[in-house]
Amino acid sequence: MRLVTWNINSVRLRIDLVRRLIEETAPDVLCLQETKTPDEHFPREAFEALGYRDMLVHGMKGYNGVAILSRRPFATTGTRAWCARQDCRHAVVELPGGIELHNIYVPAGGDIPDPKANPKFAHKLQFLDEVTAWFAAERAPNHGGVRPMIAVGDLNIAPLETDVWSHKQLLTVVSHTPVEVARLGALQRAGGFVDAVRHFVPAEERLYTWWSYRAHDWAASDRGRRLDHIWVTPPLVGELAAARVHRDSRGWDRASDHVPVVVDFNF
């Protein structure tokens, strides 16, 4: 099974880029974030024509939105809401074999890393705390053993020093601050997750999935951050076959500022 996650930054605006990605990577399961469209306007027919018969679409007008598109059937589907908001950031499906797949879009958090001065940053921290508490209470190993789970998405945090172009300069920049990195680590531990990409790419190696639109030449400056992740629980670690970042897509016409992340499984 090939799983791809991508912050598409408007699925209707970039449906041709999605087609190109599917042609180049042939995912069995495709998880999108920032679809930016209400469910009734989601381009279902385009995905059905590409062989994705099972879909969980959870979107809203102009902002946020997540979708899971699959060539394999869903046993169950659902969504979760956090911070007393219906802002379409978390979709859940059960894949064949009882594998629970979570597609999550963590709030970006604004520009000021101070929850008292910046409500967007406060929202980000609260969101992470609530999701972490849920995994700890509902999916922890002591609640019926370790279940096979995959968590993917734009988590809007680059945890490692090599996940950003300059650890020193980004320590006070939202997405790489110590408080965010600690929160992401707590979430990872709560679900018992293993970083599927870093399972293959050593922590010493620089790796990015996002480059700002503000850069005149994103490839030359290469000031990226690894904000997009795929995690798995221990029962699936032995099934991991390969992982890579589809970096070339950042250079496509009208590209998203994020690039897809690809993980292959031996099932």
Side-chain angles (χ1 to χ4, degrees):
M1 186 186 82
R2 172 164 288 174
L3 172 67
V4 175
T5 182
W6 191 13
N7 179 320
I8 186 61
N9 193 12
S10 178
V11 65
R12 289 196 291 165
L13 181 65
R14 295 186 170 84
I15 188 63
D16 288 341
L17 297 188
V18 178
R19 289 191 182 97
R20 179 173 175 178
L21 174 73
I22 290 169
E23 289 173 2
E24 293 188 6
T25 64
D28 297 290
V29 181
L30 175 62
C31 295
L32 300 175
Q33 303 87 41
E34 264 200 290
T35 52
K36 293 185 176 180
T37 184
D39 294 352
E40 61 268 25
H41 296 314
F42 190 90
R44 292 176 179 270
E45 295 81 6
F47 286 103
E48 287 175 356
L50 291 164
Y52 296 89
R53 305 297 183 188
D54 281 62
M55 305 183 201
L56 173 54
V57 176
H58 184 43
M60 59 191 290
K61 183 179 180 180
Y63 300 94
N64 308 336
V66 290
I68 304 175
L69 313 153
S70 180
R71 289 173 172 165
R72 301 191 180 195
F74 298 152
T76 61
T77 65
T79 61
R80 300 203 62 83
W82 308 105
C83 306
R85 304 187 188 199
Q86 299 295 325
D87 55 356
C88 304
R89 293 181 176 274
H90 191 167
V92 189
V93 301
E94 184 181 325
L95 298 172
I99 298 169
E100 190 173 87
L101 170 62
H102 294 260
N103 183 12
I104 303 171
Y105 176 45
V106 173
D111 296 324
I112 304 169
D114 180 349
K116 294 181 180 179
N118 177 9
K120 291 182 178 179
F121 194 69
H123 176 216
K124 182 176 192 174
L125 299 184
Q126 181 185 354
F127 183 98
L128 291 163
D129 286 344
E130 290 189 13
V131 176
T132 298
W134 183 85
F135 273 107
E138 303 294 334
R139 295 294 184 270
N142 59 345
H143 291 270
V146 180
R147 69 174 67 194
M149 292 190 296
I150 306 171
V152 313
D154 176 5
L155 305 185
N156 263 313
I157 299 171
L160 303 182
E161 293 186 17
T162 50
D163 288 337
V164 293
W165 64 271
S166 172
H167 169 64
K168 184 177 180 180
Q169 294 184 64
L170 269 67
L171 274 173
T172 57
V173 174
V174 172
S175 77
H176 190 60
T177 65
V179 66
E180 293 170 272
V181 171
R183 288 300 209 290
L184 192 68
L187 172 56
Q188 191 172 353
R189 290 190 298 273
F193 290 111
V194 174
D195 187 328
V197 177
R198 286 298 185 183
H199 181 76
F200 295 97
V201 182
E204 298 77 25
E205 183 176 326
R206 292 192 178 278
L207 189 66
Y208 314 138
T209 65
W210 174 90
W211 293 262
S212 174
Y213 284 133
R214 297 174 185 174
H216 176 69
D217 187 333
W218 71 273
S221 61
D222 202 24
R223 293 190 170 192
R225 307 177 201 176
R226 188 172 73 105
L227 305 179
D228 306 86
H229 303 270
I230 298 179
W231 295 347
V232 301
T233 51
L236 298 179
V237 171
E239 303 295 337
L240 291 170
R244 65 185 175 90
V245 170
H246 199 66
R247 179 186 170 105
D248 289 352
S249 68
R250 184 61 179 83
W252 294 349
D253 290 339
R254 303 183 78 187
S256 171
D257 46 357
H258 294 255
V259 299
V261 180
V262 183
V263 166
D264 292 336
F265 296 86
N266 289 316
F267 51 73

